[in-house]
Amino acid sequence: QVQLVESGGGLVQAGGSLRLSCAASGRTFGSYYAMAWFRQAPGKEREFGAAIRGSSGNTNYADSVKGRFTISRDNAKNTVYLQMNSLEPEDTAVYSCAAGGIGSYVRSEYDYWGQGTQVTVSS
């Protein structure tokens, strides 16, 4: 069993930056799991944001965040990050970390999920 805990969310003005972290415990994921960030905005369904594949480190981004967000991972620390720059009010959402998939946008591919961290971007 893998436990995922997100941190780094908060309130930021439009144009600002935040870095989210997702720490894994219980069982390390190392290079075996793809990791991803999903988000759910108020009144909307959860949507894919970014993913990073296993040992290759290849990444995949939703068009809505491409060029602004960067996903990375540190396998030695069992941690995945989401660097978010040029934040917009539309980025306001609960951001959740997921692990165990193959790095696609499909929610059902991921076996483990964190509780989420709130990101609020003011205009």
Side-chain angles (χ1 to χ4, degrees), residues 7 9 11 26 31 78 82 92 96 105 112 119:
S7 62
L11 175 64
S31 62
N78 298 316
L82 185 68
T92 295
S96 299
Y105 62 88
Y112 308 102
V119 172

Side-chain angles (χ1 to χ4, degrees), residues 4-118:
L4 304 176
V5 179
E6 303 95 336
S7 62
L11 175 64
V12 64
Q13 293 185 356
S17 298
L18 286 173
R19 189 177 76 157
L20 306 183
S21 299
C22 174
S25 63
R27 194 175 83 189
T28 59
F29 55 82
S31 62
Y32 296 101
Y33 300 132
M35 304 287 291
W37 290 93
F38 288 77
R39 66 185 187 182
Q40 185 169 16
K44 295 185 177 181
E45 297 297 318
R46 185 168 51 187
E47 66 177 0
F48 171 77
I52 184 166
R53 294 174 172 83
S55 59
S56 72
N58 291 339
T59 57
N60 186 31
Y61 296 93
D63 289 340
S64 59
V65 308
K66 190 175 299 182
R68 299 187 298 119
F69 292 8
T70 302
I71 188 171
S72 61
R73 65 192 296 167
D74 186 337
N75 290 336
K77 297 180 179 179
N78 298 316
T79 301
V80 64
Y81 305 95
L82 185 68
Q83 178 66 46
M84 305 185 295
N85 298 327
S86 301
L87 284 163
E88 305 167 353
E90 293 75 18
D91 296 317
T92 295
V94 173
Y95 285 73
S96 299
C97 178
I102 60 172
S104 81
Y105 62 88
V106 180
R107 294 191 298 270
S108 62
E109 292 184 357
Y110 297 92
D111 299 312
Y112 308 102
W113 293 82
Q115 295 296 315
T117 185
Q118 176 70 48

